[in-house]
Amino acid sequence: MSVQRQRPGEKSMLGQRVAANISLLQKNEKLWGAALIFLASLFLLGTAPFYPLYLVPLLALLCGAVAYFTRPTFGLILGLLIAFPAVMYQSALFAWLFLLIIVVALFEAFDHWKIISVLMILVTAPFAFGQVPVFGWITILGMVTASLYFGSKKSILIAVPSVLIILLLSSIWVVENNAFMPINLDLYDKIPALSFSRGPVELGRLGAEFSGAVGNFASFQNMGNFFNSIGIVVGNLVTVLVADSGIVQLIGWALVLFIVSYASGKLETRPQLISSLALLILLPFYFVAGLISQTGFSLGFLIAIILSIAVLGITEHFGIRISREAQIQRKDRLKAYGKFGMADIGIGEGESLDDVGNYTDVKDELKESILMPLKKKELAYTYGIKPPSGILLFGPPGTGKTMLMRALARTMKYNFIEVKCSQILSQWYGESEKNLAEVFSNARKTAPTILFFDEIDALGKKRSSAGTDEVTPRVLTTLLQEMDGAVKSKSSVIVIGATNIPNKLDPALLRPGRFDKIIYMHLPDKEGRKKIFQISIGKTPVADDVDFDVLAKKTTRFSGADIKNVAVEAKRLAAKKAASTGRLVPVSMADFLRVISSVKPSTGLAQLDEYEQFRMDFERRTGVEEKKPEKKEITWNDVGGLEKVKKALLEAIEMPLLHEDLMKQYKVKPSKGILLYGPPGTGKTLTAKAASNELNASFQSLSGAELMKRGYLESVNVVRELFNRARENTPAIIFIDEIDTFAPSRGSGGASEITGQLLNEMDGMKETKGVVVIAATNRPQVLDPAIMRPGRFDKIFYIPPPDRDTRRDIFAIHLGDFAKGVDLDKVADITDNFTGADIAAICQEAKMSALRAKIAGEEKQVTTELVEEIIENRSPSVTPELIKAYEMFAASRRGKGRKRKKKGGMSG
């Protein structure tokens, strides 16, 4: 049998197994319930000695086990039944009072077993096991902890029974209690029949003592004395409250516990620690109580208060949240929505804002726009600021819209109701609208309230696309009315919607006053993807070779959900290896790369274009981060020659923005359109892209071939929307490629509707500054003459194949650092009629040849001879006949009979 040895640096799975079990135990609510039953049974049996001391913990464990494996209620009842013989053994008369407690517990234990168990601990701890001093401090800490857990409404239920029963037992048994609750024992007479003064019984005598206790309990004399004992108990109770300090202590504890629990639900920072400081209010109450009871002020009480505050602060520091006041209040308000089964997504454990990688600006804007007006009343009053009536989040699936809302809900103390469309829509006529109106009505009653409509497109889709569906338009109308009503109402009701198909939404829903903020949840950028990887990995061990920067680069266009899936699958691969080796195996770079190679991004390029168009049309927000200057992919340096075109573009866009007054003074109108024509590959498209980058203009592109696929009627709308989008996002460049495909001469039977729409839009740009249309074509002779008249395309440039100097520049641009070993003048001389695209392909082939040699382990330089060899095997893509046809067209534009002059490789 072979034995696997542990390699250096590898960890055994034993430690991880222990850590996993501890984590599971911390989250195991059944275990904590069993522990509560165990303590309640332990202190109860310790207060009434009967069983041998070593048997008491075992019996308490039995009760806890029953609570764990069955139901906590059964464990509680078992503990009371086991304690009953002990109480009979100590006092047959007191056993009748204890029997009443058992009867009450049987009725209430199924619904309130936690409170009953807590009260058992609080009441019996000060008297348990011969009154051990430390157990009295447990009562004080337990009362505060219980009030934090059960909330302010039940804090009275904790304070009054605990204080009253502890004082009452002290008066009946005439003993001090270890909970530091002062009592004047001189006011009370000790009643032996009700006292607990006997010690525990040996194991062998349990049966005999139990029989004797049952006989005493069931005797007629004992039953006859029961009513007398009731009178004694009532008398002591009156004395405790009237003649002693009981009423002062009750008021003090009831007030302080209410303040502690209520304040913990309102405080933002360290709620448990700060709210527990209210325990100091008890000091003057206990000073007065000491004077009334003639016991003086106990220093031990002060120490117990300080220790309790310290414990609550320490537990909070380590992330243990006891306070549930905010959640209880939210659950109470949530009862108004019980008919619909809706949930407050801010209740319970879950994601925090730190778990949402990226989108820092979105998170800050949401918190400021929602929380600032609600929390900072003075600023809201001074500046008249109100929370937004509605916020719409749109973007690709998996970008974290719903997750962000859940995390945001947990940072707020206001109701954050998730409204699911299935909870609203009904098969009965008119019921859907009624349900929606009722939801808004309840929201106003419990305001401030946030209503979160996930996939809001199901309720707010365009009425024009509803077809035969009669329900959706009616529901949408109700939604619009209710959102308007929510704005006019004094109560703060905020509607947040999320969708990944924003184009389906009705325009009426998108106007300000309904959705004041429309925020694009875009795909994460490189830094965002890196952060999401790190969050998704969490505490899982990773190998030293894992480079999150590389992973971020390889996951372009991945959403947050895609990245999380990659991380999960990579961890699964590592876990599989760990299971086979029995050792802890960290997640390696190879695991990540293996998963990434088999996963595709869930959002397509066409979808991203649609989101970007919607963003430019509708996005409204104020918290946009200032964008860092990005490295421009294409600049003027990438475009060789074409100086006239560059100058014309600068004049068309920059001059109306920078020199508007001078243009009006000289009555100069900016150019509306620039037409570029010439052979394929001469740089028409490259020039347009470089212009948009250099001028920091929005770039709207339209391909004639792509436009014709949509049909005439839809294409007309596309052209209209394109121009509107450009007007709203100035400065803008509209680039129309292959314009000849949809704007040929209208006499030739082309797409006259699209051509007419294009002409109308260009004429409509008279008052629009900073918008220029650049069109490109390889067949200028087929264009409609109306396109090329002044006032539409003011400047028409012929883009010929580059001349010698321009070819030299293009070689230098595309060879980059490799140009040092090449005679650029020589290769420029032998590439006559080669276009820029031809030269780019030659340079690419030369660099690829050097790359192949590098991969093979050789060093190969890019030389003049290598470039010449590639050129010899290629032919220029432009023929003399083609150039002659373009020159004839250029000549016809200048007038018949005029000869074309060559200036700088172009003419206009």
Side-chain angles (χ1 to χ4, degrees), residues 38 42 45 52-65 82:
F38 164 76
L42 180 68
L45 294 174
L53 193 59
Y54 62 84
L55 195 59
V56 169
L58 297 177
L59 293 173
L61 279 173
L62 175 63
C63 296
I82 291 176

Side-chain angles (χ1 to χ4, degrees), residues 454-631:
D454 200 4
E455 308 296 343
I456 195 172
D457 46 272
L459 297 178
K461 67 176 65 171
K462 292 179 181 178
R463 284 169 281 196
S464 58
S465 62
T468 58
D469 181 15
E470 297 182 359
V471 177
T472 301
R474 297 201 312 268
V475 173
L476 174 60
T477 301
T478 304
L479 178 61
L480 297 176
Q481 293 172 346
E482 291 296 337
M483 289 185 71
D484 290 339
V487 174
K488 296 175 183 177
S489 173
K490 294 182 179 180
S491 55
S492 297
V493 177
I494 304 170
V495 176
I496 299 181
T499 180
N500 50 42
I501 45 174
N503 290 319
K504 300 291 184 181
L505 295 176
D506 193 274
L509 196 60
L510 302 174
R511 73 160 174 80
R514 286 167 182 159
F515 282 120
D516 294 327
K517 288 182 178 292
I518 299 178
I519 300 175
Y520 179 32
M521 292 282 287
H522 53 78
L523 292 176
D525 55 14
K526 179 178 174 293
E527 285 301 316
R529 294 194 296 274
K530 176 182 176 182
K531 188 172 183 180
I532 295 171
F533 264 116
Q534 293 170 338
I535 292 174
S536 300
I537 285 298
K539 298 180 180 180
T540 304
V542 294
D544 295 335
D545 66 340
V546 174
D547 190 334
F548 288 108
D549 288 304
V550 173
L551 293 176
K553 288 180 181 178
K554 288 183 174 294
T555 50
T556 304
R557 208 158 37 88
F558 276 54
S559 67
D562 294 334
I563 294 172
K564 184 177 181 180
N565 182 56
V566 169
V568 169
E569 292 300 322
K571 288 189 283 187
R572 186 172 285 119
L573 290 176
K576 185 178 180 181
K577 287 183 269 187
S580 61
T581 61
R583 292 186 294 270
L584 181 64
V585 177
V587 184
S588 66
M589 190 70 174
D591 295 327
F592 282 110
L593 295 179
R594 179 180 171 186
V595 176
I596 291 173
S597 65
S598 62
V599 174
K600 293 182 180 179
S602 57
T603 305
L605 292 171
Q607 292 174 288
L608 289 180
D609 289 340
E610 293 179 0
Y611 290 125
E612 185 62 26
Q613 290 178 5
F614 188 87
R615 182 193 68 79
M616 288 191 291
D617 289 344
F618 294 104
E619 187 174 40
R620 287 191 296 271
R621 54 181 304 194
T622 56
V624 182
E625 285 183 330
E626 184 178 350
K627 293 185 178 179
K628 298 178 182 179
E630 296 181 0
K631 186 177 180 181

Side-chain angles (χ1 to χ4, degrees), residues 29 31 57 62 74 177 271-272 441 473 550 580 612 667 670 800 874:
E29 293 186 4
L31 179 64
L62 175 63
F74 297 149
N177 61 79
Q272 287 178 194
S441 176
V550 173
S580 61
E612 185 62 26
K667 297 182 179 179
R874 292 176 180 264

Side-chain angles (χ1 to χ4, degrees), residues 175-345:
V175 294
E176 297 285 351
N177 61 79
N178 284 337
F180 308 104
M181 295 183 183
I183 186 170
N184 187 353
L185 297 180
D186 295 336
L187 298 175
Y188 311 98
D189 296 325
K190 186 171 184 179
I191 305 169
L194 292 173
S195 298
F196 287 12
S197 56
R198 306 172 70 181
V201 178
E202 294 181 2
L203 185 61
R205 291 188 50 81
L206 281 178
E209 293 295 341
F210 175 71
S211 298
V214 172
N216 293 333
F217 172 76
S219 66
F220 288 106
Q221 181 181 359
N222 188 56
M223 288 189 285
N225 292 331
F226 172 69
F227 293 102
N228 293 331
S229 65
I230 294 293
I232 294 171
V233 170
V234 172
N236 280 18
L237 183 61
V238 172
T239 303
V240 165
L241 294 174
V242 177
D244 213 335
S245 61
I247 193 70
V248 175
Q249 296 182 60
L250 281 175
I251 294 174
W253 275 108
L255 176 65
V256 167
L257 293 187
F258 179 83
I259 293 174
V260 168
S261 55
Y262 185 80
S264 68
K266 299 297 180 182
L267 295 170
E268 296 290 337
T269 306
R270 304 298 298 271
Q272 287 178 194
L273 175 62
I274 297 175
S275 64
S276 65
L277 293 175
L279 287 171
L280 298 174
I281 299 174
L282 283 170
L283 298 180
F285 279 94
Y286 265 61
F287 180 77
V288 174
L291 292 177
I292 296 174
S293 300
Q294 300 178 9
T295 57
F297 183 80
S298 172
L299 185 61
F301 178 72
L302 175 60
I303 296 173
I305 291 294
I306 294 173
L307 286 175
S308 298
I309 295 173
V311 169
L312 290 171
I314 292 171
T315 55
E316 187 174 44
H317 176 73
F318 286 101
I320 301 176
R321 286 293 301 269
I322 302 171
S323 173
R324 296 171 63 248
E325 175 70 14
Q327 293 187 21
I328 291 171
Q329 290 182 5
R330 291 172 78 153
K331 283 183 179 179
D332 289 341
R333 293 194 295 267
L334 190 61
K335 293 177 182 177
Y337 305 89
K339 168 186 174 182
F340 305 103
M342 294 178 181
D344 187 331
I345 58 178

Side-chain angles (χ1 to χ4, degrees), residues 399-471:
T399 50
K401 299 181 289 297
T402 304
M403 181 182 178
L404 176 59
M405 289 299 100
R406 293 181 182 277
L408 180 66
R410 291 184 178 92
T411 66
M412 300 180 177
K413 298 186 183 297
Y414 311 108
N415 278 97
F416 206 113
I417 309 299
E418 182 179 16
V419 183
K420 296 179 180 178
C421 300
S422 59
Q423 297 165 332
I424 296 296
L425 299 176
S426 172
Q427 61 179 332
W428 306 109
Y429 187 87
E431 188 72 16
S432 300
E433 303 93 283
K434 181 181 177 183
N435 291 340
L436 186 60
E438 189 173 343
V439 168
F440 273 89
S441 176
N442 292 332
R444 295 186 188 100
K445 293 176 184 176
T446 58
T449 301
I450 296 108
L451 295 177
F452 174 49
F453 290 82
D454 200 4
E455 308 296 343
I456 195 172
D457 46 272
L459 297 178
K461 67 176 65 171
K462 292 179 181 178
R463 284 169 281 196
S464 58
S465 62
T468 58
D469 181 15
E470 297 182 359
V471 177

